[in-house]
Amino acid sequence: MTDVYPPEKRSAVMRRVKGRNTTPELKVRKVLTALGARYRLNRKDLPGSPDIVLPGRRLAIFVHGCFWHGHDCARGSRVPKANRDYWVGKVARNRARDVAASEALAAKGWRVETIWECDLKDDAALRARLTALLGP
């Protein structure tokens, strides 16, 4: 199956996929701010450059898109029909990189939490989860 866009258009579309300040990240940050948490963003000095870092609590939070990081939900387990081998390899590399970053952070004494895009559908559950993470 061929792509519906010519290569130049596909390249432009893919360039617009953001890696920072995504809608899921903004939603998590909004809840954290409402809970009174102080945090830093995308700390380059930590393995994997976590999306949100709470240094005082030694907590690193990754906010992952289900498709891009191969979550086991309906959206994450979907594989495009076009260029299937590329996407399977890309998601596998992303997952391997995520595991390596989490292990490196844990080895440095950080707590690592991954929040999936599909977890953001239930606002009350997200708030409860973040409250528990921030608790004593």
Side-chain angles (χ1 to χ4, degrees), residues 24-54:
E25 282 182 36
L26 294 174
K27 189 169 186 176
V28 172
R29 286 164 34 188
K30 185 175 182 179
V31 174
L32 284 171
T33 301
L35 292 172
R38 303 284 297 177
Y39 53 85
R40 299 289 172 259
L41 303 175
N42 307 106
R43 289 256 315 254
K44 293 283 188 194
D45 60 329
L46 294 175
S49 185
D51 298 315
I52 301 168
V53 178
L54 291 92

Side-chain angles (χ1 to χ4, degrees), residues 76-131:
S77 60
R78 182 178 87 61
V79 178
K81 293 176 185 173
N83 209 2
R84 183 178 175 81
D85 293 337
Y86 168 79
W87 286 108
V88 168
K90 177 167 184 56
V91 170
R93 288 189 305 274
N94 287 350
R95 292 181 78 158
R97 186 187 66 227
D98 295 341
V99 169
S102 294
E103 288 174 353
L105 283 165
K108 290 185 172 205
W110 286 81
R111 291 184 300 148
V112 179
E113 189 70 22
T114 300
I115 298 177
W116 293 96
E117 182 180 12
C118 61
D119 294 338
L120 303 178
K121 292 178 182 174
D122 186 355
D123 291 335
L126 175 65
R127 187 175 183 86
R129 181 176 177 187
L130 292 175
T131 300

Side-chain angles (χ1 to χ4, degrees), residues 1-14:
M1 180 172 185
T2 60
D3 197 353
V4 296
Y5 294 126
E8 303 80 30
K9 173 70 173 174
R10 174 58 60 202
S11 182
V13 168
M14 293 304 290

Side-chain angles (χ1 to χ4, degrees), residues 65-67 69-77 91 95 116 118-119:
C66 295
F67 172 76
H69 295 268
H71 192 223
D72 59 359
C73 68
R75 184 174 189 154
S77 60
V91 170
R95 292 181 78 158
W116 293 96
C118 61
D119 294 338

